Amino acid sequence: MDYFVVGAGITGSVIARHLVDKDKNNKVFIIEKRSHIGGNMFDYVDQHGIRVHKYGPHTFHTNSFKVFCYVNLFSEWIHYKSWCMAVINNKFTPCPFNYQTIDDFYSFKDSESLKKNIELMFPKKKKETIIDLLKSENYKIREYALFLFNQDYKLYTSKQWGIDAEKIDISVLKRVPVKFSYDKYYFDDRFQILPKNGYEYFFKNLLEHKNIKIITNENFLNNIKINFDSNDMLLDGRKMKYKLIYTGPLDELLDYRFGSLPYRSLEFKWNYENIHLKQPAPIVVYPQAKDFTRIVEYKQMPNQNVQGTSYSIEYPTQYVPKSNEPYYPILTSESLKLYHNYKNLAKKINNLYFLGRLADFKYYNMDQAIKRALLFCSKYF
Ligand code: FAD
């Protein structure tokens, strides 16, 4: 049986591998419009010898032993716990905010008193959302929360999503907690890892199979048309007889029939400086900067013993279909309704299967994307 997989990100690649491992007669053609495999996880060694992540820093983190075992089939991994700082009023402080943040912005006496108040009001809790802190009955805690909210959460989130502070959805503000300890690490998951030789090598192994053929620099939608009367896909004018697993955006596949789905896009500006280090942490967020959100310094990730330092500056931008990349789906009741119209239409198309962060119109971490793909395989293939 022959299959087409559109998109060589983690979703399409896991499915392609499953199909060829399952049956030696299965053949898979992967079509990828970018010049490389790996989707948003793609990394490479730049001209200065530093491994950088082209689409923003990717730390693999999961609590799932099954996913951990799965990724270990295709690469060696090393432990790596991501950590980050924020610059507030020209001062570097840990992000997620923790007890060090209190020390950074309060006198010794006030800092000790605030920490005691927190321990009293949130006994045995390791962290809490900014929303819960803002609602605290204790005025010292509320004052601290308001400081963090005004100097970071509000500014960062409205810049990241391009919306006024008042319109920010509470769920977005809940994503980065405030920690009640000196723990500086970003994620709490059991497994926090990076591929020893890069995601590039991991993907090469994942897709290394005689029955997988990869075509890059090819937009599949240039060759396919959908006949909405018969619900058939036409490949180069003829009814397609193969199964198609599509991991791109549904609005693009379905001719933007109901309008375009809203996303936030990003622009990465790359720099190299012949200095030892640019900043005190691998990732530093700048809530008070006018137009960029963060700087990522890849030399501070493991195994980068080179001269100089490469870093990217991240600018959130408006998404314009067909001219830049859709990164983060903007989830509102209207956009979900719009997506459901596309989903219902896509379900009617013969031989079409769709999933992944774009086709599902959902933000997935890498482990969630793998879980979704494996579950999908066990259900359909
Ligand atoms: P993608 O990786 O986007 O792959 C889809 C592919 O389909 C793309 O390569 C695209 O070019 C291709 N495609 C689309 N349409 C067509 C077409 N018509 N023809 C041909 N090809 C097509 N997750 C974590 O777990 N940890 C992190 O630290 C982390 N950091 C992130 C940082 C950023 C800035 C972003 C944006 C995401 C981050 N993620 C992180 C999430 C991670 O990137 C996703 O979970 C993962 O990439 C999802 O894989 P996917 O295959 O579903 O989608």
Side-chain angles (χ1 to χ4, degrees):
M1 179 89 192
D2 287 356
Y3 295 85
F4 279 114
V5 170
V6 176
I10 192 67
T11 304
S13 303
V14 166
I15 292 188
R17 182 69 194 211
H18 168 85
L19 289 169
V20 294
D21 280 345
K22 192 176 175 202
D23 185 335
K24 65 177 179 4
N25 296 315
N26 284 345
K27 288 199 173 66
V28 179
F29 297 90
I30 303 184
I31 296 98
E32 169 55 61
K33 67 178 176 188
R34 291 173 175 168
S35 59
H36 56 77
I37 58 174
N40 279 352
M41 290 162 66
F42 176 70
D43 61 7
Y44 63 99
V45 176
D46 72 5
Q47 79 248 49
H48 310 289
I50 299 171
R51 181 168 292 283
V52 298
H53 298 182
K54 184 166 180 186
Y55 306 98
H58 278 70
T59 307
F60 202 99
H61 56 101
T62 186
N63 282 318
S64 163
F65 186 59
K66 189 177 167 195
V67 169
F68 176 73
C69 291
Y70 182 82
V71 296
N72 270 279
L73 294 174
F74 305 104
S75 169
E76 246 184 89
W77 295 73
I78 50 175
H79 292 285
Y80 176 69
K81 292 181 89 171
S82 185
W83 64 289
C84 174
M85 294 187 100
V87 176
I88 293 181
N89 301 342
N90 295 321
K91 220 180 224 181
F92 288 92
T93 194
C95 177
F97 301 116
N98 66 15
Y99 277 0
Q100 182 59 49
T101 308
I102 300 179
D103 293 349
D104 287 341
F105 292 99
Y106 286 73
S107 69
F108 178 75
K109 196 169 138 244
D110 290 345
S111 160
E112 291 308 302
S113 151
L114 177 56
K115 283 181 253 172
K116 278 208 181 86
N117 277 284
I118 288 175
E119 271 148 36
L120 217 68
M121 298 302 290
F122 300 97
K124 294 195 182 134
K125 282 224 130 184
K126 288 185 174 161
K127 57 187 175 184
E128 201 44 276
T129 69
I130 186 73
I131 303 298
D132 286 300
L133 294 188
L134 283 167
K135 283 195 254 167
S136 171
E137 287 163 23
N138 180 302
Y139 86 92
K140 280 193 178 170
I141 296 177
R142 272 201 321 273
E143 202 176 61
Y144 173 52
L146 203 60
F147 167 73
L148 297 179
F149 183 77
N150 284 331
Q151 302 306 326
D152 180 281
Y153 285 88
K154 186 172 90 173
L155 304 175
Y156 190 89
T157 315
S158 62
K159 189 164 45 176
Q160 173 79 349
W161 293 97
I163 47 174
D164 293 338
E166 306 80 58
K167 291 191 186 144
I168 297 169
D169 191 277
I170 279 198
S171 66
V172 176
L173 294 169
K174 283 183 174 173
R175 276 185 203 154
V176 183
V178 179
K179 294 197 173 194
F180 303 152
S181 68
Y182 284 92
D183 174 28
K184 70 170 184 176
Y185 294 108
Y186 205 84
F187 302 112
D188 292 328
D189 300 57
R190 186 169 159 211
F191 305 104
Q192 300 185 43
I193 50 179
L194 278 180
K196 190 176 171 197
N197 300 303
Y199 289 106
E200 199 187 9
Y201 175 83
F202 163 76
F203 271 94
K204 258 192 199 146
N205 284 342
L206 177 60
L207 295 173
E208 182 71 51
H209 194 286
K210 65 179 175 34
N211 286 352
I212 296 179
K213 190 168 164 30
I214 305 162
I215 302 156
T216 50
N217 294 309
E218 183 74 48
N219 186 336
F220 190 68
L221 301 182
N222 292 339
N223 308 305
I224 193 141
K225 273 254 154 327
I226 294 178
N227 180 335
F228 290 102
D229 296 324
S230 64
N231 290 328
D232 286 323
M233 289 181 281
L234 307 177
L235 181 66
D236 297 327
R238 270 187 267 154
K239 184 172 158 182
M240 199 172 82
K241 48 186 195 301
Y242 308 125
K243 294 192 171 173
L244 173 70
I245 295 104
Y246 178 81
T247 72
L250 284 191
D251 55 353
E252 206 176 326
L253 174 71
L254 300 171
D255 292 341
Y256 298 101
R257 301 200 121 207
F258 309 115
S260 58
L261 288 165
Y263 282 93
R264 196 71 177 141
S265 191
L266 292 172
E267 208 180 306
F268 299 93
K269 292 209 173 132
W270 291 91
N271 283 316
Y272 171 82
E273 280 184 56
N274 196 6
I275 51 174
H276 178 52
L277 285 181
K278 167 84 181 159
Q279 55 188 24
I283 302 172
V284 176
V285 299
Y286 290 82
Q288 296 167 328
K290 190 169 157 272
D291 45 8
F292 66 94
T293 45
R294 59 180 182 175
I295 298 182
V296 182
E297 186 173 32
Y298 288 93
K299 186 179 175 181
Q300 297 202 41
M301 290 189 165
N303 302 336
Q304 312 255 36
N305 299 321
V306 287
Q307 170 76 24
T309 187
S310 295
Y311 56 91
S312 70
I313 310 177
E314 235 171 88
Y315 295 81
T317 56
Q318 203 192 339
Y319 167 60
V320 182
K322 292 184 180 172
S323 59
N324 59 5
E325 291 280 337
Y327 284 105
Y328 301 109
I330 300 177
L331 302 175
T332 59
S333 52
E334 291 100 75
S335 69
L336 287 172
K337 222 167 125 210
L338 187 60
Y339 172 72
H340 279 284
N341 289 338
Y342 279 117
K343 189 176 166 183
N344 289 337
L345 183 58
K347 275 187 186 163
K348 293 185 189 154
I349 311 293
N350 300 320
N351 287 329
L352 173 67
Y353 299 81
F354 55 93
L355 75 162
R357 64 159 194 115
L358 293 165
D360 286 333
F361 194 59
K362 257 192 192 151
Y363 181 84
Y364 288 135
N365 284 324
M366 294 178 272
D367 64 327
Q368 294 169 317
I370 292 176
K371 263 195 220 160
R372 164 93 169 109
L374 291 174
L375 203 69
F376 192 87
C377 290
S378 64
K379 198 164 165 195
Y380 295 104
F381 305 120

